[in-house]
Amino acid sequence: MAASLQYMTKLFKKFSINNQKASYRHKDRLRVVLFTPDDLFLVKGSPNKRRAFLDFTLKQLSAEYYHHMDNYANILKKRNLLLKKKQTKGKPFKIINDLFIENAIILIIQRINFVNILEEIIKPIYREINQDQNQLKMRYALSFPIDHDKINMDVLQTGLHKHIGEHLSEEVYRGTTLVGPHLDDINFYQDDRLAKIFASQGQQRNIAIGLKLAELYAYKRVKDYYPVFLLDEVLSELDAGKRNMLIKHLQRAGFQSFLTAVNNEKIEEENDSIFIVRAGQLLRKEF
């Protein structure tokens, strides 16, 4: 099987399998998990980065989530239009508002369940690559308050409905929806302290790496096979101890990993295949 991606213009790309036009969601496309230096912002960056991570991963894993996400986006667009027009008194807004709450809760439940899976997986990984120095927790952060410690669909529906009722005038004034999955977040806690504030940059990087590894293992749990793991310039920011711990973890893992680095002297193991790009050529390193 041969796959290709052609850039026809700046705004148009053509994806082909065996010279036949195919969808980006084709069942035979290569699945990858990518880590780049920018993924440090999964911990310390804006909530939008973390929401995008959740949505992208869940769309890969669940056609149902993909469907509900599309529904939610369309309903949110219609709700915002009615808010901008200040048309919130009639039956159309009530229908849209009820649909908004229903679809929002479906997404939230699926996200919370997935965050719980990620947390279960990332805890031992983080202890390993961080050399047993810290404990890590993940929590899904709602954009509205609830009155119960335990979360279920009824609790979420009551909380969201109540919050909307109390803040509808502000939404009308601002012409946009001020609550919902599009404004939720994930919080990381290292030793019960908010990691984006109290963790060092090196610790934040370890959390981001651990999160990407957790994504891989979650994929295996749901789909029963691993994606390919691509890591771009990750070793340069790690000290020797953490770098060796990560490499040893990747060597023992059941998935295939590709690491890029501007300096291969940091890769000390001789059991791996190492290639050098020089003058546009890919050369096998000789030991």
Side-chain angles (χ1 to χ4, degrees):
M1 182 181 70
S4 67
L5 178 63
Q6 294 177 291
Y7 288 83
M8 311 303 288
T9 68
K10 290 183 178 180
L11 300 177
F12 177 68
K13 293 180 289 188
K14 180 182 178 182
F15 181 60
S16 302
I17 296 179
N18 293 335
N19 295 321
Q20 299 294 320
K21 186 177 179 181
S23 166
Y24 289 100
R25 298 181 62 194
H26 193 280
K27 62 181 179 64
D28 291 329
R29 74 189 188 280
L30 179 67
R31 266 69 167 187
V32 302
V33 170
L34 172 66
F35 179 88
T36 73
D38 286 344
D39 285 321
L40 180 62
F41 291 96
L42 281 171
V43 181
K44 71 176 185 179
S46 69
N48 183 61
K49 182 81 172 176
R50 291 180 286 277
R51 286 193 297 268
F53 164 77
L54 270 185
D55 288 337
F56 177 81
T57 307
L58 279 167
K59 283 180 179 180
Q60 301 295 307
L61 295 174
S62 171
E64 180 185 2
Y65 186 86
Y66 203 112
H67 171 73
H68 287 305
M69 193 68 209
D70 280 351
N71 279 351
Y72 179 79
N74 290 330
I75 293 166
L76 179 63
K77 184 177 180 180
K78 293 176 182 177
R79 189 176 190 274
N80 284 338
L81 183 62
L82 292 174
L83 289 171
K84 285 184 175 70
K85 294 181 176 180
K86 305 186 187 304
Q87 298 176 357
T88 60
K89 302 296 184 182
K91 187 175 181 180
F93 182 79
K94 183 182 184 307
I95 293 172
I96 290 297
N97 196 58
D98 289 344
L99 288 172
F100 170 79
I101 292 173
E102 177 185 342
N103 280 267
I105 291 169
I106 291 172
L107 291 182
I108 290 170
I109 289 291
Q110 290 180 295
R111 283 182 177 181
I112 290 174
N113 289 339
F114 187 60
V115 167
N116 289 339
I117 291 173
L118 289 175
E119 188 198 34
E120 177 190 340
I121 296 171
I122 197 175
K123 278 184 173 182
I125 293 174
Y126 187 67
R127 285 197 301 269
E128 178 186 349
I129 64 177
N130 207 41
Q131 299 174 305
D132 290 319
Q133 294 179 3
N134 305 98
Q135 300 292 321
L136 186 68
K137 294 179 183 178
M138 291 177 63
R139 294 292 182 268
Y140 189 80
L142 295 166
S143 53
F144 58 95
I146 55 176
D147 297 328
H148 298 268
D149 294 332
K150 294 185 178 180
I151 293 179
N152 57 44
M153 296 194 75
D154 289 338
V155 168
L156 289 170
Q157 184 174 15
T158 300
L160 183 52
H161 195 276
K162 179 181 177 182
H163 187 83
I164 287 174
E166 293 173 348
H167 296 82
L168 183 57
S169 60
E170 185 181 357
E171 289 188 317
V172 172
Y173 175 75
R174 297 177 64 174
T176 190
T177 301
L178 300 176
V179 65
H182 64 292
L183 295 173
D184 291 349
D185 199 358
I186 310 171
N187 288 329
F188 298 92
Y189 296 92
Q190 181 179 266
D191 299 333
D192 296 321
R193 305 174 76 191
L194 197 58
K196 66 182 177 183
I197 297 175
F198 295 103
S200 67
Q201 181 159 319
Q203 290 167 333
Q204 291 176 357
R205 180 171 291 273
N206 287 345
I207 294 172
I209 294 170
L211 184 62
K212 288 294 183 172
L213 285 167
E215 179 186 350
L216 272 160
Y217 289 115
Y219 208 107
K220 170 65 173 176
R221 182 179 296 189
V222 175
K223 294 291 189 180
D224 200 32
Y225 65 86
Y226 287 112
V228 174
F229 196 21
L230 307 179
L231 302 96
D232 179 33
E233 196 56 33
V234 63
L235 301 180
S236 62
E237 299 296 331
L238 302 176
D239 60 42
K242 291 183 175 62
R243 185 165 60 242
N244 290 334
M245 291 295 292
L246 175 61
I247 290 176
K248 288 178 181 178
H249 183 97
L250 296 178
Q251 288 175 329
R252 294 193 303 267
F255 50 82
Q256 189 174 23
S257 303
F258 292 87
L259 292 84
T260 62
V262 295
N263 184 354
N264 65 353
E265 293 177 2
K266 296 182 181 295
I267 304 176
E268 300 172 358
E269 300 291 335
E270 297 187 5
N271 298 325
D272 303 309
S273 298
I274 299 179
F275 294 84
I276 299 172
V277 178
R278 181 180 296 144
Q281 291 185 309
L282 188 66
L283 308 173
R284 178 69 180 267
K285 181 178 179 180
E286 299 292 338
F287 291 100

